[in-house]
Amino acid sequence: MKVDNFAESKSRIEELKRRKRAVILAHYYTLPEVQAVADFLGDSLALSIRARTVDADMILFAGVHFMAETAKVLCPGKKVLLPCPEAGCSLAESCDAGAFAAFKAKYPGHKVVSYVNTTVGVKALTDICCTSSNALQVVESIPADQPLIFAPDRNLGSYVQKLTGRKNMVLWDGACHVHEEFSLEKLLQLKREHPSAKVVAHPECRAYIVEVADFVGSTAAILDFCGKNGATEFIVVTEAGILAEMQRRYPDKTFIPAPPDDEGCGCNNCRYMKMITLDKIVSCLENESPEILLDEEIRSKAERSILNMISIK
Ligand code: 13P
Ligand code: SF4
């Protein structure tokens, strides 16, 4: 976006936010210019927590559908807007609520832990939600002899299973199209080219990627690690939107995006997150639409599973 267009859109957004008592919550994977107009930028856990306490009449969620839904679940009295209703999530879509209910019925006596990357319908069938920041603590908070279903990300599930040594955990077979597609061969080649670089990876990546990483964590944990670690070069194996925040926080360090596999979509950008543009934010604030609306019974069941998670943190 050209500088004058950016300045124009930013001042229009600021004016609309003031007039409508609106705040913008944005995920690190959104476009840099979208991150630049956010009141609060974070990973999915931080954004859920912030949504609960934000002092505003309206929340515009610059992120994907399940994130805006989570904000609405936690703030039923506020108007929650999502600038682009098509901004979904391949992981959330890999777990349909009807199919999940049938899956759950096959495992009586199991408690359900599901990643926040799910629809409100799946959250309503869940005992405790988790995010990539707290998945380990959430699973460890449940007695070791309690059988579990973990949904929907099979990679995060196996990672937690490996760390906890927990055998009684059934995994839903879902995955994120971005994180599944990093190429091990290209990553190893990059490591050879940059021998002093540390590899940082998101736990949604496949096990063979996680195994060669120096650090595995959520978006926020990766950002933190890169600041605290003495290395000056990092190979980043997660969605490339995070690089804008890395560069902003640590301008003297170098961040190298890990390449995806050519066989897949060939892209380490989440196409859904990039659907949120400044023009869409302007028109969404002007029209107060598209708005997230939820059935109250499902919302309150989903709220319980999210609050159970927040109380563990
Ligand atoms: P975080 O929990 O790290 O924000 O990740 C959310 C997400 O969608 C990862 O792809
Ligand atoms: Fe969903 Fe993957 Fe995009 Fe994250 S990166 S929002 S998991 S599709």
Side-chain angles (χ1 to χ4, degrees), residues 91-163:
L91 180 52
E93 279 152 29
S94 72
C95 189
D96 166 75
F100 187 66
F103 181 78
K104 186 179 164 180
K106 288 201 285 181
Y107 299 99
H110 285 55
K111 279 207 182 298
V112 178
V113 176
S114 60
Y115 192 24
V116 76
N117 297 40
T118 46
T119 61
V120 70
V122 172
K123 286 188 180 77
L125 295 164
T126 294
D127 294 293
I128 313 188
C129 275
C130 70
T131 72
S132 50
S133 281
N134 64 11
L136 189 60
Q137 291 97 301
V138 167
V139 169
E140 281 178 338
S141 75
I142 301 166
D145 58 354
Q146 168 63 54
L148 297 180
I149 293 174
F150 188 96
D153 190 49
R154 58 174 175 249
N155 295 321
L156 179 62
S158 345
Y159 177 65
V160 170
Q161 206 166 23
K162 194 172 162 207
L163 292 185

Side-chain angles (χ1 to χ4, degrees), residues 29 64 66 88-91 117 176-179 204 239 270 272-273:
Y29 294 171
V64 294
F66 78 81
C89 164
S90 56
L91 180 52
N117 297 40
C176 153
H177 74 289
V178 175
H179 288 90
E204 283 176 26
E239 210 276 350
C270 173
Y272 304 107
M273 290 280 188

